[in-house]
């Protein structure tokens, strides 16, 4: 491949333009965050035109929604794939959550509405997929806590992992040479106040 070919927009094949547009949008997200999204630039990157993009999406808001839906589906898959056990140990899921955000910072910001709050407000598809990820956290907690405490504990853990993820992808502190070890330490500390079973007075163990 010569230099001109390497720098030219990718060509798309008939029938897969929608997916190609989303992949191009995802690339822009990781280069410049949600504010970098542009239908003209997305279309240019796949060798198409803005009018062609409108055959698949009504506008930039719809592209952003589709990308966010993909992101939440991938996040839920990552959480489901994290190791677990009968005691509902949640550190692996917490590690997977933060790792997803660190690997996809632009997409992660978009998933929670950055730059598109109005488009995302009350959107049923995004809400459903966001709750699917949340349910993975609740499922683990239900193995170690009383039923009436699960919702509050799940909100606590989601707040912790979401906040930690944002601090890390925004570079708000020095994560050192081993960010994964730091994340594991934070999750371990948070788990010291959570019982390991649904029995009253259960032992306080590691997350």
């Amino acid at each position: 491949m010569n230099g001109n070919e390497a720098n030219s927009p990718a060509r798309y094949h008939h029938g897969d333009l929608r997916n190609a547009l989303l992949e191009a949008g995802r690339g822009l997200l990781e280069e410049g965050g949600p504010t970098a999204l542009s239908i003209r630039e997305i279309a240019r990157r796949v060798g198409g035109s803005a009018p062609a993009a409108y055959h698949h999406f009504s506008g930039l808001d719809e592209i952003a929604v589709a990308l966010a839906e993909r992101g939440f589906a991938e996040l839920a898959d990552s959480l489901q794939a994290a190791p677990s056990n009968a005691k509902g140990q949640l550190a692996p899921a917490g590690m997977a959550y933060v790792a997803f955000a660190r690997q996809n910072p632009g997409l992660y910001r978009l998933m929670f509405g950055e730059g598109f709050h109005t488009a995302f407000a009350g959107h049923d598809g995004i809400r459903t997929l966001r709750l699917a990820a949340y349910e993975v956290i609740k499922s683990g907690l239900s193995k170690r806590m009383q039923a009436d405490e699960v919702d509050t504990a799940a909100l606590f853990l989601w707040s912790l992992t979401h906040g930690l993820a944002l601090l890390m992808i925004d570079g708000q502190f020095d994560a050192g040479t081993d960010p994964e070890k730091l994340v594991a330490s934070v999750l371990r500390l948070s788990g010291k106040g959570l019982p390991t079973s649904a029995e009253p007075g259960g032992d306080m163990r590691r997350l």
Side-chain angles (χ1 to χ4, degrees), residues 50-144:
Y54 283 109
H55 287 298
H56 297 273
F57 299 99
S58 62
L60 190 59
D61 284 354
E62 192 169 330
I63 291 177
V65 166
L67 287 168
E69 288 177 333
R70 281 193 174 188
F72 277 115
E74 291 178 15
L75 174 59
D77 287 344
S78 296
L79 295 176
Q80 289 282 7
S84 185
N85 57 35
K87 293 182 178 179
Q89 199 170 41
L90 293 179
M95 294 284 290
Y97 188 104
V98 177
F100 177 87
R102 293 181 61 227
Q103 292 162 7
N104 307 277
L107 177 62
Y108 186 78
R109 291 187 179 95
L110 176 72
M111 287 161 57
F112 287 90
E114 183 174 318
F116 293 88
H117 288 290
T118 301
F120 286 18
H123 191 280
D124 290 340
I126 291 177
R127 182 177 182 276
T128 297
L129 289 165
R130 183 187 298 129
L131 288 176
Y134 184 52
E135 286 299 321
V136 178
I137 298 175
K138 289 178 64 175
S139 176
L141 283 168
S142 67
K143 300 173 184 177
R144 65 187 295 171

Side-chain angles (χ1 to χ4, degrees), residues 6-30:
N7 293 324
S8 64
R11 295 186 179 278
Y12 63 87
H13 300 288
H14 179 72
D16 69 352
L17 179 56
R18 186 181 191 279
N19 184 63
L21 290 168
L22 291 176
E23 288 300 312
R26 188 159 180 168
L28 278 173
L29 277 176
E30 300 312 332

Side-chain angles (χ1 to χ4, degrees), residues 9-12 17 20-21 23-24 41-49:
R11 295 186 179 278
Y12 63 87
L17 179 56
L21 290 168
E23 288 300 312
E41 177 59 17
I42 289 171
R44 187 195 71 79
R45 291 194 174 198
V46 299
S49 64

